[in-house]
Amino acid sequence: MHGASRQNYTGRSESPALRGHNECVRRGGYVPIEDYAVIGDGRTAALVARDGSIDWLCLPNFDSSSVFGAIVDAERGGAFELQPSIPFTASRRYLPRTNVLETIFTTDAGAVRVVDAMTLPDERLPPLRELARSIEGISGTVPMRWRCAPRFDYGRARPEIGWRVGVPVAAWRGEAIAVANWDAGTPTWTDGAVEARWDVRAGARSLLALATAYGDPLVLPGRAAVLSRLESTIAFWDRWSSARGYEGEWADLVLRSALVLKMMIFAPSGASVAAPTTSLPEEIGGERNWDYRFCWVRDSSFMVDALLRLGCYDEARSLFWWFIQATAFTAPKVDVLYRLDGGVGVPEREVDLAGYRGSRPVRVGNNAVRQQQHDIYGALFESAWLYSSGHHALDADTGALLGGIADHVCDIWRGPDSGIWEVRNGPFHFTHSKAMCWVALDRAARLAAAGEMPARHAARWRREADAVRAYIEGECWSDDLGSYTRVAGSRDVDASLLMLPLVDYADGRDARIRGTVDAIDRRLREGDVVYRYRAADGVPGGEGCFLNCSFWLVSALARCGRLDDAAALMERVAARANDVGLYAEEIDPASGAFLGNFPQALVHLALIDAATSFSPSAGRRSERKAS
Amino acid sequence: MIGSAIAGGFVGTLLMTTIMRGASEFGLTRIDLALLLGTTVTDNRRKARAVGYVFHFLIGLGFALAYGGFFAIVGRSGWLLGALLGALQAIFTGTVLVNVLLPVVHPRIGTPETAANEIALLEPPGFLMLNYGRRSFLVVLAAHIVYGAVVGWVVRV
């Protein structure tokens, strides 16, 4: 059984992985979240554990059901393992300026290099999706093993297994995968998994390729074609990285963030997935487990801003077009999130999986879509403002669409909502939501003044923006705290308030902003990381520190002029990345263990904003309008 | 026959375009045929819609001539036969024409094969254009039935 073999890794004495910095220990079949790296092709992504096991892959798209889901159920989820069959250590990196992962397995018998990639299509009849695993002997002779246990439909379906011209194939309904292999042993099917063992000598090269089909015939690739696509995939990512213009501090982390963000843009539509995983827990054993495989409007302004800063003009335009098309269906109301294909409605359900280290339930879909979250209107208008600032004009229909949405914001901003953190015990009058409504109306008025939107209601937008500001300054400030408050009239602070100087609600040197940043620094910061709030939110259990909040604190400190404090904090938070430069949504401040979905776009977007905050050219967002 | 086919095609396309645009305004679908067609030649959204409407009318006239040819071959016409042809055309459009063929020739529309090394500006329509809303196909079906009925009613053989 697949689960039985993974149980062998539960203890150090039983694990084939050796000890030390590069150890990879499975407990109960699970590795720490920070032990994963991600590979992807802009349509789906796979999580590769340090021990060479691919424990998460949804096919054919990010939001499809999983074929490998061992990360949320080590026994029944399915995985594609590849590793030495004797004790080893593993070190890994991304090949420079690529999303292609290199893992070096070192054993007493020698060393082996494995290169993993989701290949990009070429003109040589590629499979619908292809995952290539290249194995090269570096020294000695290393006994290796691989085992592919596909479990379609989140582990619920047992596939039909068999052979096609000597290639192992598994199929379920319209889906099928083939595991082509060259010089990688003689595979056999056992208990629904195909596996093989073989020896890799120095200088020898073996190859595995997972080819997939969905509703069409399987393409069984040839060895030369797979190797060619692997090389062209490496070349593409290198070219793409070369075109990124950022040369400031923390350039390596910024480039890694840019690469992972590009990987998480769903290329068929231009939408950006918040994270490629579902239900990695915010607390081990807890129930704060959510599906992030959708596109949040909230992330849009950060994404458009980051893409423009990094010179990704085509990607920024594609994302903005997607938003206009997706929101057109619900306008003037804007949903919190949309499916990657632009559709609305992502009903939440629980699937019968054990959960990461027993963290249940495992959810598919996200009921946050039903919430009222007023801050998303600010995000949408900030996106439009930044997009038009990037030398793209808004067309008349888009301007009219946005005009209707701005009118809607005038109608709703006085009401309560569930806020940026999607609390389930609300609604409340969140200060951050009010501020983002101000952003929406302010940007609408500016766009109208610039001739990008109809100006017929511009006076109303400006008038209502002033009313929002008066409400915030009157109802959402506490003299006792010396800070803006989480909700009107409360005595709590909230890390979302760090956004106020970032979206130019007020200048970073404003006394109230400085007081708010100080209060958050004092009350929510734990070491170098930041809790989002300490109030109840209607969901049982605890959580870690949100890493995006830590980067927001860096950005806010920089905008307050506290550049030394900001730089010191940036160094420490940057050091919290895993060994390949990736971040999950949250972190346990004590152990440094990652929590939540991984990798998370919002954290990497916040990192880019923080790193570029030190640049003199960073400037205020609202003043970045092209002349 | 050619003259009546052109007249019927013009009126039919006019009604079809109005129905689809109206359905879009009422939130029934996100299909924007003018944008879909126009972006085959430009990525400027304003120009694309203008060009797209011209394309759409030309295509509408072309199909009306094809309907006329079919009516001539079978030796009869009428609104019911036209409506039937319209329904068949809608099914072909939703399953093959827009779902499969258009993304192949359209330089700015995504397909299920589009990967990170390409930039799509328009999301793929999907089977029966369901990516543009669950009621999209019903709108397309209704619009094509009206188009076919008008052409069948106007064209006499």
Side-chain angles (χ1 to χ4, degrees):
Chain A
M1 290 291 291
H2 173 68
S5 75
R6 299 178 77 77
Q7 296 301 320
N8 288 338
Y9 310 155
T10 55
R12 290 186 171 202
S13 60
E14 297 173 26
S15 171
L18 296 182
R19 327 292 167 240
H21 179 70
N22 297 323
E23 71 180 275
C24 181
V25 178
R26 284 191 180 262
R27 291 190 172 86
Y30 299 95
V31 300
I33 295 171
E34 59 268 24
D35 273 0
Y36 285 101
V38 64
I39 54 175
D41 60 4
R43 303 170 296 190
T44 190
L47 293 193
V48 188
R50 188 193 298 274
D51 63 6
S53 179
I54 293 174
D55 290 345
W56 181 249
L57 175 63
C58 296
L59 290 171
N61 301 325
F62 290 111
D63 56 356
S64 306
S65 59
S66 65
V67 174
F68 301 137
I71 195 169
V72 284
D73 192 324
E75 284 199 26
R76 291 182 296 148
F80 188 175
E81 301 163 52
L82 170 63
Q83 60 191 199
S85 55
I86 58 175
F88 60 87
T89 58
S91 63
R92 59 187 185 165
R93 61 167 187 158
Y94 284 107
L95 295 182
R97 306 144 68 85
T98 76
N99 278 319
V100 176
L101 184 69
E102 177 194 76
T103 304
I104 306 285
F105 293 114
T106 304
T107 73
D108 290 342
V112 167
R113 174 179 183 255
V114 172
V115 173
D116 289 317
M118 296 286 301
T119 63
L120 302 173
D122 60 9
E123 302 301 319
R124 304 174 62 151
L125 188 58
L128 185 69
R129 309 286 183 264
E130 183 179 74
L131 191 159
R133 314 197 75 175
S134 167
I135 306 106
E136 289 178 65
I138 297 174
S139 63
T141 299
V142 180
M144 296 286 291
R145 60 178 285 274
W146 61 269
R147 183 175 191 274
C148 179
R151 298 288 182 266
F152 295 88
D153 195 25
Y154 299 110
R156 289 179 297 193
R158 293 288 285 192
E160 298 171 24
I161 56 174
W163 303 85
R164 302 279 190 283
V165 289
V167 176
V169 170
W172 177 73
R173 294 188 178 172
E175 303 176 45
I177 66 164
V179 190
N181 59 94
W182 296 273
D183 301 326
T186 304
T188 55
W189 281 106
T190 308
D191 291 331
V194 60
E195 57 190 346
R197 291 173 183 264
W198 83 111
D199 291 337
V200 177
R201 293 179 174 76
R205 188 170 192 181
S206 307
L207 185 64
L208 293 164
L210 183 80
T212 76
Y214 186 85
D216 50 12
L218 262 172
V219 173
L220 301 176
R223 181 176 193 160
V226 175
L227 288 173
S228 170
R229 277 191 289 276
L230 182 56
E231 291 305 315
S232 63
T233 299
I234 293 169
F236 165 77
W237 287 118
D238 185 53
R239 272 198 315 278
W240 187 87
S241 297
S242 299
R244 310 285 67 84
Y246 182 72
E247 293 177 349
E249 290 189 80
W250 301 288
D252 287 348
L253 273 178
V254 170
L255 180 58
R256 175 50 48 202
S257 295
L259 279 161
V260 75
L261 290 169
K262 167 71 174 172
M263 184 203 300
M264 291 200 289
I265 291 174
F266 183 59
S269 70
S272 170
V273 68
T277 57
T278 179
S279 298
L280 296 185
E282 297 183 17
E283 178 187 43
I284 300 301
E287 62 178 79
R288 293 172 181 248
N289 318 319
W290 315 110
D291 191 351
Y292 279 13
R293 297 171 300 158
F294 308 104
C295 188
W296 265 256
V297 173
R298 177 173 300 112
D299 296 357
S300 66
S301 65
F302 295 104
M303 187 62 121
V304 170
D305 189 28
L307 291 170
L308 291 173
R309 285 190 201 205
L310 296 168
C312 306
Y313 302 112
D314 290 339
E315 287 90 344
R317 183 167 60 164
S318 176
L319 176 61
F320 187 73
W321 277 41
W322 181 86
F323 268 110
I324 292 305
Q325 286 153 220
T327 54
F329 203 46
T330 55
K333 182 179 172 295
V334 175
D335 277 359
V336 174
L337 58 102
Y338 292 86
R339 294 202 313 261
L340 300 178
D341 62 13
V344 296
V346 285
E348 186 175 292
R349 61 190 170 92
E350 297 176 6
V351 292
D352 184 25
L353 292 171
Y356 177 80
R357 293 175 61 190
S359 307
R360 300 185 72 174
V362 174
R363 293 184 173 93
V364 173
N366 198 311
N367 277 347
V369 71
R370 297 180 187 163
Q371 292 187 342
Q372 292 285 323
Q373 297 178 18
H374 293 169
D375 65 296
I376 59 178
Y377 294 96
L380 182 65
F381 275 91
E382 181 74 341
S383 297
W385 173 257
L386 293 167
Y387 175 79
S388 70
S389 303
H391 304 280
H392 295 298
L394 300 182
D395 64 294
D397 281 3
T398 301
L401 175 81
L402 291 173
I405 296 173
D407 289 341
H408 180 63
V409 175
C410 292
D411 295 335
I412 64 164
W413 74 263
R414 288 178 176 81
D417 74 327
S418 298
I420 181 174
W421 305 123
E422 304 177 346
V423 300
R424 300 202 174 192
N425 62 340
F428 300 109
H429 289 278
F430 285 101
T431 304
H432 171 263
S433 296
K434 305 294 184 195
M436 292 305 287
C437 286
W438 176 87
V439 169
L441 296 168
D442 174 75
R443 302 302 190 266
R446 287 171 186 261
L447 285 165
E452 300 276 5
M453 279 174 57
R456 202 167 64 252
H457 297 166
R460 183 191 182 204
W461 301 334
R462 182 51 67 198
R463 197 167 57 244
E464 291 291 334
D466 292 342
V468 178
R469 181 179 283 280
Y471 180 91
I472 294 170
E473 297 304 318
E475 306 295 327
C476 305
W477 171 261
S478 166
D479 284 330
D480 291 343
L481 290 175
S483 168
Y484 292 108
T485 56
R486 181 171 186 246
V487 300
S490 81
R491 289 182 52 80
D492 295 316
V493 292
D494 187 305
S496 65
L497 298 170
L498 294 167
M499 290 293 300
L500 268 55
L502 275 55
V503 296
D504 295 337
Y505 171 80
D507 188 90
R509 289 175 172 77
D510 177 273
R512 287 192 164 192
I513 293 294
R514 292 176 70 100
T516 301
V517 174
D518 285 345
I520 292 168
D521 200 9
R522 279 196 317 274
R523 290 168 175 261
L524 297 181
R525 184 170 162 183
E526 180 115 355
D528 49 8
V529 287
V530 178
Y531 285 102
R532 52 182 181 171
Y533 49 76
R534 294 189 189 274
D537 57 12
V539 183
E543 61 186 29
C545 287
F546 274 57
L547 283 158
N548 62 301
C549 297
S550 304
F551 286 116
W552 287 351
L553 181 56
V554 172
S555 297
L557 288 168
R559 283 168 173 80
C560 290
R562 294 167 57 183
L563 291 176
D564 290 344
D565 292 341
L569 181 59
M570 182 73 189
E571 288 288 357
R572 294 177 66 185
V573 185
R576 294 282 199 165
N578 76 355
D579 58 320
V580 289
L582 301 179
Y583 292 90
E585 180 180 33
E586 300 172 35
I587 194 166
D588 182 319
S591 68
F594 281 178
L595 297 165
N597 284 312
F598 172 86
Q600 206 217 16
L602 187 58
V603 178
H604 286 276
L605 290 164
L607 182 154
I608 291 172
D609 187 79
T612 54
S613 291
F614 298 88
S615 164
S617 62
R620 295 179 57 159
R621 280 174 149 201
S622 60
E623 291 173 356
R624 229 179 285 155
K625 177 75 182 167
S627 58
Chain B
M1 191 275 287
I2 292 178
S4 61
I6 289 175
F10 180 80
V11 176
T13 308
L14 198 71
L15 282 171
M16 183 177 175
T17 307
T18 305
I19 290 170
M20 295 188 69
R21 184 66 194 172
S24 178
E25 290 293 330
F26 283 108
L28 297 176
T29 179
R30 289 188 294 113
I31 293 173
D32 187 335
L33 272 179
L35 187 70
L36 268 182
L37 294 171
T39 47
T40 56
V41 295
T42 176
D43 60 4
N44 181 309
R45 293 175 71 103
R46 292 180 210 197
K47 290 178 185 168
R49 281 206 175 82
V51 173
Y53 279 121
V54 173
F55 280 8
H56 193 216
F57 270 88
L58 290 176
I59 292 169
L61 296 182
F63 270 104
L65 290 170
Y67 279 29
F70 177 80
F71 295 148
I73 290 169
V74 300
R76 54 176 293 206
S77 63
W79 69 269
L80 194 57
L81 187 58
L84 185 63
L85 276 183
L88 288 173
Q89 188 186 339
I91 293 169
F92 177 73
T93 299
T95 55
V96 179
L97 187 66
V98 173
N99 180 38
V100 178
L101 298 181
L102 183 64
V104 170
V105 299
H106 198 303
R108 296 177 179 87
I109 203 167
T111 74
E113 290 80 30
T114 304
N117 51 346
E118 297 175 276
I119 304 287
L121 284 176
L122 293 166
E123 59 183 308
F127 181 68
L128 295 180
M129 292 180 260
L130 293 177
N131 287 359
Y132 296 159
R134 290 178 193 163
R135 298 187 188 92
S136 294
F137 181 68
L138 294 178
V139 171
V140 170
L141 185 65
H144 279 81
I145 286 174
V146 169
Y147 167 84
V150 169
V151 175
W153 180 61
V154 171
V155 175
R156 299 292 177 194
V157 294

